[in-house]
């Protein structure tokens, strides 16, 4: 599929300092945009990244009808650019859309738009391993109305941003405050959808935990505050002596693509990985008696991030973090190795995108 393209008049690429990339602070020259009106998605286009125009009464601004995704393109050591499991992101976007009454765009448009953006802005894809090109699809309800109902018009955009990894040699393990008062998502709510409101609900608890010296919040279930759910941008794993445990998906947890990939990699290594209810009391007891050896989070942005400290009801529990022999570190290396084309991609997780001179002949190539 080809999209009508309006190239930018001058590239901002020379201004980018690739040695000091933040996360989502600089945006590539172009974006993808596609409107929905008259009951259908219209043809999409590639245009310069820049401000969009919305009526102040746009429904998304008032009632939060907004869903997004997050995935990355990686430039391998062989020069090939790969997307990691974009079909999984599409499936999740579709479920998020359904939860928020947003019309679902076609999968082929979603995938082709990602590829078109990677191709036009391929020079923005960092060369260093450990850096990548973050892709942020977002769909918003744009209709001008204060009626509380689903919008009849939408805008689907994809932004692209060169980013560093969160976890490298210089970044220590994160500290988590177990949140026993606030709730991120409740049964029957929209915790499984990647939608703006879930993150707004987490801002105040996150600020409080930051003020008391913690990097992030570990959420418990909304009914009893008894079972572990997730971190809010990461899913969470606990390594016991003989197995790994992660909370089962019960509707209030975001089904992470990295979570799914890590479960697969663990089982392939012959390590038992159970998706189950995880009681916070069993975790704190396990850390104290040495049964729990590691805790780590997973996410597209965070990859695999070790947890070095966990605090629950004013008691602090120390963990070994991401030392070189840790499971977190080896999973991180394996994932990055697959994403960068250095390890065999036996599950067909990566999709090569031909860029530059290769754009025309290897567009549909599948690696692995
Ligand atoms: C995006 C996200 C994750 C991680 O999902 P990935 O697909 O692995 O990036 C975990 N929790 C929440 C709430 C998220 O928004």
């Amino acid at each position: 599929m080809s999209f009508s393209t309006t190239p930018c008049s001058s590239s901002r690429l020379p201004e980018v300092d690739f040695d000091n990339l933040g996360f989502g602070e600089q945006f590539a020259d172009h974006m993808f945009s596609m409107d929905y009106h008259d009951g259908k998605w219209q043809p999409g286009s590639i245009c310069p990244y820049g401000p969009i125009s919305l009526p102040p009464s746009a429904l998304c601004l008032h009632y939060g009808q907004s869903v997004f995704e997050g995935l990355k393109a990686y430039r391998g050591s062989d020069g090939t650019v790969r997307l990691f499991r974009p079909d999984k992101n599409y499936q999740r976007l579709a479920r998020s859309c359904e939860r928020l009454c947003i019309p679902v765009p076609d999968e082929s448009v979603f995938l082709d738009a990602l590829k078109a953006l990677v191709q036009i802005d391929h020079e923005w894809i960092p060369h260093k391993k450990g850096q990548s090109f973050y892709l942020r699809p977002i769909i918003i309800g744009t209709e001008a109305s204060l009626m509380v109902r689903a919008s009849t018009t939408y805008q689907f955009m994809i932004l692209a941003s060169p980013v560093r990894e969160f976890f490298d040699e210089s970044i220590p393990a994160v500290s988590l405050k177990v949140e026993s008062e606030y709730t991120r998502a409740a049964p029957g709510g929209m915790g499984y959808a990647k939608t703006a409101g879930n993150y707004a609900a987490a801002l105040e608890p996150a600020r409080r935990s930051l003020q008391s010296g913690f990097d992030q919040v570990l959420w418990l279930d909304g009914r009893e505050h008894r079972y572990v759910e997730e971190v809010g941008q990461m899913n969470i794993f606990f390594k016991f002596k003989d197995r790994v445990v992660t909370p089962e998906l019960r509707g209030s947890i975001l089904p992470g693509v990295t979570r799914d990939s890590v479960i697969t990699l663990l089982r392939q290594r012959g390590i038992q990985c159970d998706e189950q209810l995880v009681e916070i009391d069993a975790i704190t007891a396990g850390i104290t008696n040495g049964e729990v050896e590691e805790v780590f989070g997973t996410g597209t942005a965070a990859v695999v991030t070790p947890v070095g400290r966990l605090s629950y009801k004013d008691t602090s529990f120390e963990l070994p973090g991401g030392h070189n022999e840790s499971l977190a570190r080896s999973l991180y290396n394996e994932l990055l190795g697959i994403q960068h084309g250095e390890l065999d991609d036996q599950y067909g997780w990566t999709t090569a995108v031909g860029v530059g001179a290769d754009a025309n002949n290897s567009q549909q190539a599948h690696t692995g």
Side-chain angles (χ1 to χ4, degrees), residues 166-177:
F166 275 130
F167 175 37
D168 60 32
E169 310 303 335
S170 62
I171 298 175
V174 294
S175 58
L176 300 181
K177 182 190 162 206

Side-chain angles (χ1 to χ4, degrees), residues 92 184 194 199 230 232-235 254 256-259 298-300:
R92 186 169 66 196
R184 186 191 90 97
K194 233 172 156 69
Y199 305 86
E230 63 159 302
Q233 291 152 50
M234 294 192 294
N235 295 109
L254 202 284
V257 177
T258 321
R259 174 188 181 278
T298 64
T300 296

Side-chain angles (χ1 to χ4, degrees), residues 136-314:
R136 167 55 64 88
I138 175 170
I139 307 180
I140 54 173
T142 52
E143 186 183 347
S145 167
L146 296 184
M147 295 287 288
V148 180
R149 56 167 173 72
S151 180
T152 58
T153 60
Y154 296 87
Q155 187 172 3
F156 172 24
M157 289 165 279
I158 305 177
L159 322 179
S161 170
V163 297
R164 62 161 168 79
E165 296 300 356
F166 275 130
F167 175 37
D168 60 32
E169 310 303 335
S170 62
I171 298 175
V174 294
S175 58
L176 300 181
K177 182 190 162 206
V178 181
E179 179 58 66
S180 43
E181 189 185 329
Y182 289 101
T183 301
R184 186 191 90 97
M190 52 184 191
Y192 67 88
K194 233 172 156 69
T195 177
N198 287 337
Y199 305 86
L203 290 176
E204 165 63 5
R207 183 167 63 187
R208 285 196 180 200
S209 78
L210 207 60
Q211 278 166 354
S212 37
F214 295 90
D215 298 313
Q216 292 187 47
V217 172
L218 178 60
W219 299 101
L220 301 179
D221 74 281
R223 208 195 296 262
E224 299 177 79
H225 286 111
R226 179 174 166 197
Y227 301 105
V228 175
E229 300 233 302
E230 63 159 302
V231 183
Q233 291 152 50
M234 294 192 294
N235 295 109
I236 190 99
F237 287 76
F238 302 94
K239 180 188 181 300
F240 285 77
K241 279 205 180 324
D242 56 347
R243 65 193 184 116
V244 175
V245 167
T246 191
E248 64 185 9
L249 302 174
R250 293 197 298 165
S252 47
I253 297 175
L254 202 284
V257 177
T258 321
R259 174 188 181 278
D260 183 80
S261 308
V262 161
I263 292 172
T264 303
L265 294 179
L266 285 170
R267 290 180 180 160
Q268 184 206 321
R269 291 183 187 193
I271 298 173
Q272 185 180 336
C273 180
D274 296 328
E275 302 174 65
Q276 60 174 68
L277 282 177
V278 180
E279 237 175 305
I280 184 63
D281 284 339
I283 296 303
T284 52
I287 298 175
T288 307
N289 69 24
E291 277 286 307
V292 174
E293 297 174 334
E294 280 182 52
V295 179
F296 55 88
T298 64
T300 296
V303 195
V304 179
T305 294
V307 177
R309 188 160 61 104
L310 200 133
S311 133
Y312 180 50
K313 294 187 175 161
D314 298 325

Side-chain angles (χ1 to χ4, degrees), residues 34-36 41 52-55 58-61 64-68 93 97 102-103 137-143 151-157 196:
M34 180 167 81
D35 291 330
Y36 179 96
W41 285 106
I52 58 171
S53 116
L54 279 179
L59 277 169
C60 64
L61 300 176
Q65 207 189 8
S66 162
V67 296
F68 68 95
L93 179 71
C97 283
I102 294 173
I138 175 170
I139 307 180
I140 54 173
T142 52
E143 186 183 347
S151 180
T152 58
T153 60
Y154 296 87
Q155 187 172 3
F156 172 24
M157 289 165 279

